[in-house]
């Protein structure tokens, strides 16, 4: 179906609104209500469990929603969950037409929302700005298609491929703009994952530090032998606020039970998982555990050994590497991808659908691995 330039304008506005949300495990959705060529209501879902985009838009439109057109990025949901069905709200408000970006592939919706609107006499069309909506919600769509989270590998490195100096100093490789983007990516993720080596070396909090965030991602440390210090920032933060900034440490059956007791006393969740042949946490088992908890995306921040393990297990779907115009040198300085590596160039993993981003002097390279097809 062909859409007018004016319709395209309203859906672009709905997409801008959708990007404001921090919604895992729900999708990011925006809604604009137009009456007589004028926006009379708009809204987006700020976080899971809060009212959906359509509800906020209808509230702001009031009686002006009657006979109006609603532009919504994703098919309105039609079941009673944490919030009532948005289809019911649109019908009750008297909206005469609904323009939708894409269908929701959650089996509980998946065309049922459109069918309910049509049955109620609401003109309903689908397909406006579909590619952008799919990209915006690629984690949600991937999860409901496969039952597994979308996994992104992130690293920041110098121009010569180092993630720290030979002494381990890594503050800061990139500038403020790139680091703000990392915090936004964390905030949009279901979980942030790091290896214990990163915890020991950098002592990160693994939080998204942006103003007025409605949620924090689950923080996960892969620690096969429970070496995470009790003084680590990620541990101390979880002890202070276990519900708002939860921490999960994934370990193996061989880990010291006394160390586990000390961590659990500090409100840390310790999960014992099978070990691989190297005696490390089986990453497939970890991803399966997180999938069962409806974690729709993982933001893996390394270090290099964890990245290598995720790639070797063919678990990763995309990468986002930041490159700063700096040179460090050092034969033993760490790199974003360690492990054994490939033997010949023909075995290198190519990226597809690559995008280049600028963050002042820094560059971000985003691309998809062969294991992922949209």
């Amino acid at each position: 179906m062909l859409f007018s330039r004016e319709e395209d304008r309203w859906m672009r506005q709905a997409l801008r609104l959708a990007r404001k949300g921090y919604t895992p495990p729900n999708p990011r959705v925006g809604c604009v209500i137009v009456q007589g060529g004028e926006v009379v209501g708009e809204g987006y879902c700020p976080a899971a469990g809060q009212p959906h985009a359509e509800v906020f838009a209808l509230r702001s439109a009031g009686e002006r929603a009657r006979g109006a057109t609603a532009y919504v990025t994703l098919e309105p949901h039609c079941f009673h969950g944490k919030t009532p069905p948005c289809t019911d709200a649109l019908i009750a408000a008297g909206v005469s037409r609904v323009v939708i970006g894409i269908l929701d592939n959650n089996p509980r919706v998946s065309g049922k929302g459109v069918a309910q609107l049509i049955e109620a006499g609401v003109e309903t069309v689908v397909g406006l700005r579909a590619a952008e909506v799919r990209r915006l919600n690629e984690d949600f769509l991937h999860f409901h298609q496969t039952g597994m989270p979308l996994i992104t590998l992130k690293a920041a490195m110098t121009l010569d491929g180092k993630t720290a100096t030979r002494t381990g100093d890594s503050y800061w490789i990139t500038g403020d703009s790139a680091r703000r983007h990392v915090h936004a990516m964390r905030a949009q993720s279901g979980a942030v994952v790091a290896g214990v080596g990163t915890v020991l070396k950098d002592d990160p909090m693994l939080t998204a530090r942006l103003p007025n965030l409605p949620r924090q991602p689950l923080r996960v440390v892969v620690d096969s032998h429970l070496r995470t210090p009790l003084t680590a920032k990620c541990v101390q933060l979880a002890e202070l606020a276990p519900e708002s900034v939860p921490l999960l440490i994934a370990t193996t059956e061989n880990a010291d039970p006394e160390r586990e007791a000390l961590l659990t006393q500090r409100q840390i969740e310790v999960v014992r998982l099978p070990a691989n042949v190297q005696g490390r946490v089986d990453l497939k088992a970890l991803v399966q555990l997180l999938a069962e908890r409806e974690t729709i995306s993982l933001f893996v921040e390394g270090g290099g050994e964890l990245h290598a393990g995720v790639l070797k297990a063919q678990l990763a779907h995309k990468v986002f590497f930041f490159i700063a115009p700096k040179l460090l040198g050092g034969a033993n300085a760490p790199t974003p991808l360690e492990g054994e590596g490939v033997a010949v160039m023909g075995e290198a993993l190519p990226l597809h659908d690559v995008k280049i981003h600028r963050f002042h002097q820094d560059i971000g390279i985003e691309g998809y691995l062969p294991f992922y097809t949209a």
Side-chain angles (χ1 to χ4, degrees):
M1 179 176 181
L2 294 176
F3 296 95
S4 70
R5 183 177 299 179
E6 195 74 358
E7 289 176 313
D8 187 69
R9 172 188 172 190
W10 304 133
M11 187 60 79
R12 282 189 284 114
Q13 186 166 335
L15 274 161
R16 283 194 294 271
L17 290 165
R19 293 187 182 98
K20 296 181 178 183
Y22 299 95
T23 56
N26 292 349
R28 299 163 74 184
V29 182
C31 179
V32 172
I33 298 176
V34 177
Q35 177 75 269
E38 176 189 358
V39 174
V40 296
E42 59 181 31
Y44 67 95
C45 181
Q50 296 195 30
H52 290 191
E54 298 93 325
V55 173
F56 282 114
L58 290 169
R59 285 177 183 174
S60 63
E63 282 301 313
R64 293 176 296 177
R66 190 162 300 278
T69 297
Y71 295 85
V72 58
T73 54
L74 188 71
E75 179 182 12
H77 91 290
C78 55
F79 61 91
H80 283 271
K82 292 182 179 178
T83 59
C86 290
T87 48
D88 288 355
L90 290 164
I91 294 166
V95 169
S96 63
R97 185 168 184 258
V98 177
V99 180
I100 298 167
I102 64 171
L103 295 179
D104 185 338
N105 70 340
N106 181 341
R108 300 183 72 182
V109 184
S110 194
K112 299 181 183 71
V114 167
Q116 186 176 339
L117 290 169
I118 293 173
E119 186 178 350
V122 179
E123 180 187 353
T124 307
V125 292
V126 182
L128 181 54
R129 292 261 160 185
E132 287 180 58
V133 179
R134 278 194 291 269
R135 185 68 175 259
L136 180 66
N137 286 298
E138 62 185 3
D139 51 356
F140 176 85
L141 298 170
H142 176 82
F143 180 80
H144 285 287
Q145 179 181 343
T146 67
M148 302 299 284
L150 184 79
I151 300 177
T152 300
L153 304 185
K154 170 262 172 182
M157 71 190 82
T158 58
L159 190 59
D160 55 341
K162 309 298 183 182
T163 57
T165 68
R166 60 182 174 81
T167 63
D169 182 28
S170 61
Y171 294 102
W172 293 104
I173 291 175
T174 54
D176 291 344
S177 178
R179 296 202 300 275
R180 280 196 301 271
H181 192 75
V182 170
H183 286 291
M185 293 175 76
R186 287 179 184 171
Q188 296 291 2
S189 300
V192 174
V193 185
V196 67
T198 296
V199 173
L200 293 171
K201 181 183 69 175
D202 296 337
D203 195 17
M205 289 189 286
L206 301 175
T207 54
R209 295 185 289 283
L210 296 174
N212 303 316
L213 282 180
R215 66 174 291 276
Q216 285 287 338
L218 172 67
R219 299 170 304 145
V220 179
V221 174
V222 182
D223 183 358
S224 302
H225 304 291
L226 289 185
R227 295 186 291 148
T228 300
L230 301 179
T231 56
K233 291 176 183 176
C234 60
V235 171
Q236 293 182 333
L237 190 58
E239 187 176 6
L240 289 171
E243 293 186 3
S244 57
V245 279
L247 175 65
L248 183 152
I249 297 182
T251 191
T252 65
E253 295 294 343
N254 297 323
D256 183 354
E258 292 185 5
R259 289 287 301 169
E260 179 180 1
L262 290 172
L263 288 162
T264 55
Q265 287 169 11
R266 287 162 172 79
Q267 309 300 313
I268 312 303
E269 181 182 6
V270 178
V271 176
R272 291 180 181 266
L273 295 168
N276 59 22
V277 293
Q278 290 83 29
R280 297 177 178 175
V281 170
D282 184 325
L283 296 174
K284 289 184 178 180
L286 173 59
V287 173
Q288 181 63 49
L289 170 73
L290 295 172
E292 290 168 1
R293 298 185 179 194
E294 294 192 328
T295 308
I296 65 171
S297 60
L298 307 183
F299 191 56
V300 182
E301 299 205 47
E305 289 292 340
L306 179 60
H307 282 165
V310 173
L311 283 174
K312 185 176 181 179
Q314 297 190 2
L315 293 170
H317 303 102
K318 63 184 293 188
V319 300
F320 202 121
F321 282 8
F322 296 84
I323 302 173
K326 299 175 182 178
L327 299 173
L328 289 181
N332 297 320
T335 65
L337 184 58
E338 311 232 331
E340 184 180 1
V342 301
V344 295
M345 190 59 69
E347 297 175 351
L349 292 172
L351 302 182
H352 61 89
D353 295 331
V354 174
K355 284 190 174 183
I356 310 297
H357 306 267
R358 288 296 302 265
F359 302 97
H360 295 300
Q361 286 192 312
D362 302 323
I363 294 172
I365 298 181
E366 177 185 18
Y368 295 83
L369 289 155
F371 321 129
Y372 176 76
T373 55

